[in-house]
Amino acid sequence: MSEARGYEETERTRPMLDATFEPTTRRHIDGHRKRTLEVGHARIVMGGALFLAVFIAIAIRLVEVGGIGQNREPSMAATPETPAVVQRADILDRNGVVLATNVRTASLYADPRQVPDAAAAARRLVAVLPELSEAQIAGKLALDNSFVWLKRNLTPQQQYDVNRLGIPGLHFQYEEKRLYPQGSLVAHVVGFTDIDGRGLAGVEQSFDDVLGAGTHPVTISLDLRIQHIVRQELTNAIEAFDAIGGTGIVLDVKTGEVLSMVSLPDFDSNHPATASDDQRFNRATLGIYEMGSTFKIFTAAMALDSGLVTMSDSFDATQPIRVGGFTISDFKPKNMVMTVPEIIVYSSNIGAAKMALAIGQERQQEFFERLGMFRRTSIELPESGLPMYPSNWKPINTMTAAYGHGIAISPLHLVTAMAAMVNGGALRPATLIARDEDEVFEGNPVISGATSDSIRQLLRLVVETGTGRNADVPGYLVGGKTGTADKLQGRRYSENSRIASFIG
């Protein structure tokens, strides 16, 4: 009965239940379906967005690997270990020929913590970069660091070979490498930089701040055409006389501009670390030498300009001078009384010494001081030698300095002072800065114009009839003076080693 009753109650109440329950159930089902569709749609949209983001990231990476985005890799702050790219300015000769410039290169570094097998990576890396040490590279890659340099300034081929290895943790830093297209031709003047672009020698060091700013090229006074000629002629002379080295300078006597400066042996500015100390030594500005008989021109100029001596005055050179245990004699004695022109033409040590004594020790020292013989030159190079001269100037020093012994200067000192002897009497500092006509320094007067005219006549006589006849080039009125000095070895002069010079 209970079952029948329950059935009947259910049947009786069904219409009411249907009336109250069925519409609610349908609304619930419809809402559930709607939410399911919305969630599914959201998931599809999110999945599509994620797929698109991954696709974009892969595409960007492919572009970077392909080289278009290289300027963005790696993105890191500049530190002492990872220097910022330096846009160093070019160095040009006076005609616009490039002497130093920059090229963009890739440098290889690693994040050792990302390298899975340091030993294997080092082995593979050295296979394409054989100049590296496998042990050193393995040691670097085993460090618990986030950054180590492996090799700076790779060639494009080296970068390609490293890239092909696909070693995790290896990256490239793009930076500037200094390049010297002329190699060794202007090495002592231009100098070189370190691997981070800091000037270490020559113009690179002197103008480091200007070049580092990179605002405009630096134009120097050198003329590369003249530089080629001087280097070749100097090379020929060194070979002909079996010399250990030499230097040649061409100076514009009206402006002080150095048009050529060569020092041999030289080195390649692109590879300064491979050069010896002797190759890096700039004989033109840093070398200090006794210049021998070229100094007789200064003695004559000093004497003539003082008004105490004229061109027709004469000095007795018949006998050597003995003073303080030393003997002053002539290399090829004429044993005669000589006028000023004859002293210069025959290059008489005795005549020059007596001419200097006639002028006096104080005048000589003051004259040398005005010519800059007691201080460094003002050339725009860090390599500048300090002259050597007696601290206690005695009469014997007056006599020996008259013909270029007992006082040592650089070849640039000699050229700068001689320019004043022939340009009308104005001493202008030698410079590597190319000058415009309106920028020429007036100079400091050291002799009169009349004395300068006389000096040019004396120099011409030397080439016409004296020791400089080999310099008499047809078509030119060449004037000059030869000089020979014994080389110091320790505290004594060598009997078989000499310094030969010519200035014209």
Side-chain angles (χ1 to χ4, degrees), residues 10-27:
T10 301
E11 288 296 322
R12 281 199 301 269
T13 59
R14 180 171 294 175
M16 184 178 64
L17 290 174
D18 288 343
T20 58
F21 176 74
E22 186 174 342
T24 302
T25 301
R26 286 175 180 168
R27 285 196 300 271

Side-chain angles (χ1 to χ4, degrees), residues 72-204:
R72 295 167 40 195
E73 180 189 350
S75 177
M76 61 172 63
T79 68
E81 294 80 17
T82 61
V85 175
V86 178
Q87 300 293 336
R88 194 171 179 85
D90 290 351
I91 301 175
L92 311 176
D93 90 330
R94 66 187 306 110
N95 300 307
V97 179
V98 176
L99 307 180
T101 190
N102 286 355
V103 292
R104 192 166 185 264
T105 63
S107 291
L108 179 64
Y109 73 96
D111 182 344
R113 295 179 296 189
Q114 297 177 356
V115 179
D117 188 336
R123 186 170 56 255
R124 296 176 63 197
L125 193 57
V126 172
V128 298
L129 300 175
E131 65 274 17
L132 299 181
S133 165
E134 183 176 339
Q136 290 181 356
I137 295 300
K140 288 183 177 182
L141 295 180
L143 295 172
D144 186 23
N145 291 349
S146 61
F147 181 95
V148 290
W149 280 122
L150 300 181
K151 181 174 173 58
R152 305 285 290 275
N153 301 133
L154 275 67
T155 66
Q157 183 63 49
Q158 289 174 327
Q159 183 186 6
Y160 175 78
D161 292 339
V162 172
N163 242 340
R164 288 191 62 190
L165 297 176
I167 300 174
L170 300 189
H171 308 281
F172 297 105
Q173 169 87 13
Y174 294 93
E175 50 189 350
E176 298 288 320
K177 179 182 179 181
R178 200 63 164 166
L179 181 68
Y180 302 94
Q182 310 304 328
S184 60
L185 182 60
V186 291
H188 288 103
V189 176
V190 172
F192 52 88
T193 65
D194 64 11
I195 197 168
D196 292 318
R198 292 184 290 262
L200 296 182
V203 169
E204 290 280 28

Side-chain angles (χ1 to χ4, degrees), residues 26 31 37 166 323 361 480:
R26 286 175 180 168
L37 290 173
V323 54
Q361 173 182 322

Side-chain angles (χ1 to χ4, degrees), residues 456 460 463-464 471-480:
R456 286 199 297 272
R460 179 59 184 155
V463 172
E464 283 184 316
D472 195 15
V473 180
Y476 292 88
L477 292 176
V478 179

Side-chain angles (χ1 to χ4, degrees), residues 224-349:
L224 208 62
R225 302 166 300 180
I226 302 176
Q227 186 82 352
H228 273 289
I229 296 170
V230 172
R231 189 178 188 277
Q232 186 58 59
E233 291 303 317
L234 192 60
T235 299
N236 295 342
I238 289 173
E239 292 176 354
F241 293 96
D242 194 27
I244 64 171
T247 184
I249 301 171
V250 177
L251 184 82
D252 187 327
V253 301
K254 294 183 178 180
T255 66
E257 294 169 287
V258 175
L259 304 181
S260 174
M261 180 184 288
V262 178
S263 176
L264 295 179
D266 52 21
F267 64 97
D268 188 344
S269 290
N270 294 296
H271 309 287
T274 64
S276 65
D277 291 342
D278 189 44
Q279 289 174 305
R280 287 195 295 266
F281 186 78
N282 188 350
R283 286 168 162 81
T285 61
L286 192 55
I288 300 298
Y289 312 100
E290 293 183 351
M291 292 298 180
S293 294
T294 57
F295 260 60
K296 291 169 184 171
I297 294 298
F298 303 132
T299 300
M302 171 186 65
L304 294 172
D305 205 61
S306 70
L308 300 176
V309 175
T310 67
M311 291 280 271
S312 60
D313 286 338
S314 58
F315 297 87
D316 187 356
T318 57
Q319 298 294 327
I321 301 173
R322 291 178 176 84
V323 54
F326 296 95
T327 300
I328 297 174
S329 59
D330 290 341
F331 179 64
K332 293 182 178 181
K334 297 296 181 180
N335 300 318
M336 57 183 283
V337 176
M338 296 184 182
T339 62
V340 172
E342 288 171 331
I343 290 172
I344 301 301
V345 169
Y346 298 132
S347 198
S348 172
N349 297 337

